[in-house]
Amino acid sequence: MRINLFFQGYDSVKGYQQSILQELDGQIHFDRCVLTSRDNDGADQYDPGKYEKIDYDMCANARYEHCMDMNTLRPLPREILAAMEPYEPAAVKMLCRITDFDIFTYDEAKRFYLHHLRFWNDVFERNGINFVFLTGIPHHTHDYIIYALTKVRHIPMCILAPTHLPHWCFVGNDLYKLYERLDAAYERWKDNCQPVTLPEDVEAYYQALLRENKTQKMQIMLGSGSRKEHAKKEKRQIMGYVMWDKIWKRQLSRMKHGVVDSLRTGSLTPWREKRVWMKKDAYCIQKVRHKLKNCATIADYEKMAVMPDMKHERYVLFLLHLQPEATTLPQAGVFAEQELCIQLLAHVLKDYGIKLYVKEHFVQPYRMKSFYKDLHDTDNVTLVSSDAESVDLLEYCVAAATPAGTVSIEAIANGKPVFVFGHGGFEHGPGIYQTGNEAECREAIEDILRSGPVPVQAVRNYFRAFVESSICVYSPAEEGSDAQKAEQSRKEIVKLAAGEIRLAFS
């Protein structure tokens, strides 16, 4: 059977992406390959008769009409529109990734969504795509639509999904079932009573999670720099769209390219196209600034928050996710709006005399004013100062709770059970309770109150199962990358992709 592959590539230097695909082609032979990739140094070269390379940034920023005539695309049929309906809300919500703010009206968002869908449906149809290999969690509108089209067209797929452990990725065939291979491996390990050996980097991560190694944890989680420096860096990244230096950099770059391209072609068309883009960018900047007027900062949150008496009060700890972030959208699923988890859990815990402590992420630069107010007014919820140490809060809590965040493994590493509402890959395992309604929350809290701490042996067995069911990926485009590790990763990716394709077509 002819294999027509879609491959979501990596940031590439020195022909890294090209070498993966060439070796993969040598092993399984595909007739056609469509890929999205960032070629950082121009070293990747592809035969246009076999490959179709699509600019990733064009997709992420929904600029198809600036790069092609949309009239050349196939119109969307009823069958695809209907089949995609369940995926549409999440895909539309992900448009906030363009500016890191949810600024588009429904009509604008719907138009962007349909542009994405029409473009990618045409790509799938025209190239006869029959296998999809994703190298990340689809969390932009275009790659989530690629994922959704793969599902509705019943095309076999493999996903390499990054995890909380640096460089380690889940291997799965469904975004919302990334746990399957881990669960199967844990079945083989869960009754093990012997000491467990973990790879050096995984062991270091595990040790950093332990409460007695608080300083080590901060180094691994944040890298170099203090909390204040990390918060400043994250704020600059999220707020960058409306920072004056970045605005001028964008605008000047467009002006420069418009002038150069017009002089090179002897036509004013490139300049006019860049002017259109600049006007749309100015419109988005205005919308973001209007949005910010209705937002509260973490300083506003702190006015509502308290330093809790954690040693004398029973509580479950809910650490808010930084947003926008893949662990909420799409991995939280229907609980992408975190207040839904909080309302459900606070309501149930009240019957057991247990408070719900909610703590803001210390680098979150803004949220809607109503978000903080609604949480503050929710019965049985205490807003905890972001200055309170999460390690200390975990030490004294009854359990932790998260849509799909890091706390799921940090909690069990410290013997604390955890409520998980989403689909991050760590939904199951020792001390982890996947919940989504009152009955499941009640069943979980009653079992938690009966069972006591999560056994260390069970947690280490779970980490060992994770290692066996996952893959370690190093990219040469990363700052300070290790060439030897990147080459080993390249071989592992090729081996995995070839195996998954052979399995799909066997």
Side-chain angles (χ1 to χ4, degrees):
M1 183 176 179
R2 298 178 62 178
I3 299 170
N4 298 316
L5 173 68
F6 172 82
F7 196 99
Q8 180 189 28
Y10 294 98
D11 278 2
S12 184
V13 295
K14 300 178 181 178
Y16 179 72
Q17 182 63 67
Q18 178 188 356
S19 67
I20 289 176
L21 291 170
Q22 284 181 338
E23 187 169 340
L24 179 60
D25 188 28
Q27 291 196 22
I28 52 97
H29 181 68
F30 47 80
D31 289 272
R32 185 77 174 150
C33 179
V34 177
L35 68 147
T36 56
S37 178
R38 295 189 185 99
D39 182 2
N40 293 321
D41 58 6
D44 289 328
Q45 300 295 319
Y46 299 99
D47 174 6
K50 188 180 183 78
Y51 293 90
E52 181 178 345
K53 183 178 177 181
I54 299 173
D55 181 69
Y56 186 91
D57 291 328
M58 176 192 75
C59 302
N61 293 288
R63 294 202 297 264
Y64 301 107
E65 67 271 27
H66 299 298
C67 305
M68 64 180 304
D69 182 359
M70 298 294 284
N71 289 311
T72 63
L73 304 180
R74 292 166 173 79
L76 289 165
R78 178 197 299 271
E79 294 79 11
I80 289 295
L81 290 168
M84 288 289 293
E85 273 190 321
Y87 301 95
E88 183 179 328
V92 166
K93 184 74 173 174
M94 288 176 192
L95 287 167
C96 70
R97 289 281 179 176
I98 296 175
T99 64
D100 279 328
F101 289 82
D102 186 9
I103 61 169
F104 300 112
T105 66
Y106 176 79
D107 288 338
E108 289 170 335
K110 182 79 173 187
R111 179 179 175 273
F112 278 132
Y113 165 75
L114 292 174
H115 272 42
H116 279 298
L117 181 56
R118 187 177 179 189
F119 177 84
W120 286 105
N121 184 64
D122 182 81
V123 168
F124 273 57
E125 286 273 355
R126 177 164 40 82
N127 292 282
I129 300 297
N130 55 12
F131 192 89
V132 171
F133 193 90
L134 299 178
T135 57
I137 296 167
H139 62 290
H140 287 262
T141 300
H142 79 277
D143 53 21
Y144 190 73
I145 284 176
I146 291 167
Y147 167 78
L149 279 171
T150 305
K151 296 294 292 181
V152 303
R153 288 175 170 275
H154 307 291
I155 297 171
M157 163 173 45
C158 181
I159 305 173
L160 277 181
T163 69
H164 315 312
L165 284 77
H167 303 292
W168 285 86
C169 297
F170 285 120
V171 178
N173 305 102
D174 188 311
L175 175 62
Y176 299 109
K177 296 180 181 178
L178 293 173
Y179 57 82
E180 288 182 323
R181 300 185 194 204
L182 172 55
D183 285 7
Y186 185 57
E187 277 297 312
R188 299 190 295 271
W189 274 94
K190 69 178 182 180
D191 295 325
N192 171 62
C193 299
Q194 301 302 313
V196 170
T197 302
L198 300 173
E200 185 178 345
D201 59 335
V202 178
E203 182 66 47
Y205 187 87
Y206 174 83
Q207 293 298 327
L209 294 177
L210 303 181
R211 63 176 64 92
E212 58 265 29
N213 299 326
K214 180 164 46 175
T215 303
Q216 187 180 350
K217 175 196 168 185
M218 293 301 289
Q219 290 174 343
I220 285 186
M221 297 294 182
L222 304 182
S224 60
S226 64
R227 277 170 52 112
K228 184 177 180 180
E229 290 169 335
H230 187 67
K232 184 178 179 181
K233 178 182 175 182
E234 288 291 331
K235 180 179 180 180
R236 181 167 177 79
Q237 181 174 329
I238 294 173
M239 302 291 289
Y241 195 83
V242 290
M243 287 185 169
W244 281 112
D245 60 332
K246 293 198 173 187
I247 292 172
W248 281 112
K249 185 177 179 180
R250 288 199 308 271
Q251 298 281 14
L252 288 171
S253 175
R254 291 291 166 176
M255 289 172 66
K256 175 185 173 182
H257 284 92
V259 171
V260 170
D261 291 347
S262 288
L263 290 173
R264 180 174 52 82
T265 62
S267 168
L268 288 175
T269 300
W271 168 249
R272 292 192 183 106
E273 289 176 348
K274 296 301 186 291
R275 285 285 296 159
V276 169
W277 181 91
M278 291 164 67
K279 288 179 180 179
K280 288 186 177 180
D281 190 52
Y283 169 74
C284 289
I285 292 167
Q286 185 181 27
K287 292 283 288 288
V288 169
R289 287 184 172 150
H290 178 74
K291 184 88 171 183
L292 281 170
K293 292 179 181 178
N294 295 307
C295 289
T297 66
I298 195 165
D300 297 311
Y301 167 84
E302 291 295 345
K303 294 174 184 177
M304 304 180 185
V306 300
M307 290 298 290
D309 184 9
M310 61 187 82
K311 293 183 180 180
H312 300 98
E313 191 168 42
R314 291 203 308 169
Y315 63 90
V316 167
L317 175 64
F318 189 102
L319 300 176
L320 288 168
H321 287 245
L322 178 68
Q323 289 182 291
E325 186 182 62
T327 48
T328 47
L329 188 68
Q331 289 188 293
V334 295
F335 287 100
E337 308 299 336
Q338 296 180 81
E339 60 266 37
L340 298 175
C341 310
I342 292 166
Q343 291 161 1
L344 175 58
L345 197 51
H347 175 74
V348 171
L349 292 176
K350 185 177 180 181
D351 292 343
Y352 298 86
I354 299 172
K355 296 285 290 184
L356 181 62
Y357 281 6
V358 176
K359 179 175 177 282
E360 178 60 289
H361 197 297
F362 72 94
V363 303
Q364 181 70 42
Y366 72 90
R367 293 194 195 268
M368 294 298 293
K369 291 177 181 177
S370 56
F371 180 82
Y372 288 145
K373 183 180 184 306
D374 289 348
L375 292 188
H376 181 264
D377 293 345
T378 300
D379 194 21
N380 201 40
V381 166
T382 298
L383 298 184
V384 174
S385 172
S386 63
D387 291 330
E389 289 285 358
S390 297
V391 174
D392 297 332
L393 288 164
L394 272 174
E395 181 174 0
Y396 297 104
C397 70
V398 174
T402 180
T406 312
V407 73
S408 57
I409 54 173
E410 184 179 351
I412 63 170
N414 287 286
K416 298 293 183 177
V418 58
F419 298 83
V420 173
F421 291 85
H423 310 278
F426 293 108
E427 291 95 304
H428 310 131
I432 300 175
Y433 298 83
Q434 189 171 32
T435 53
N437 56 47
E438 282 193 46
E440 290 171 348
C441 287
R442 290 184 190 281
E443 184 178 349
I445 192 62
E446 288 173 7
D447 192 61
I448 287 168
L449 293 174
R450 283 194 305 266
S451 301
V454 184
V456 173
Q457 181 70 50
V459 176
R460 290 189 63 83
N461 289 346
Y462 193 58
F463 269 73
R464 183 68 231 181
F466 168 77
V467 169
E468 289 192 0
S469 60
S470 305
I471 186 173
C472 200
V473 175
Y474 290 83
S475 168
E478 294 174 352
E479 185 177 349
S481 62
D482 185 310
Q484 186 176 355
K485 288 181 177 179
E487 174 59 19
Q488 181 60 36
S489 293
R490 189 187 68 80
K491 293 178 179 178
E492 291 294 325
I493 292 166
V494 172
K495 180 181 176 181
L496 172 68
E500 291 290 315
I501 292 171
R502 288 192 187 105
L503 183 64
F505 291 97
S506 62

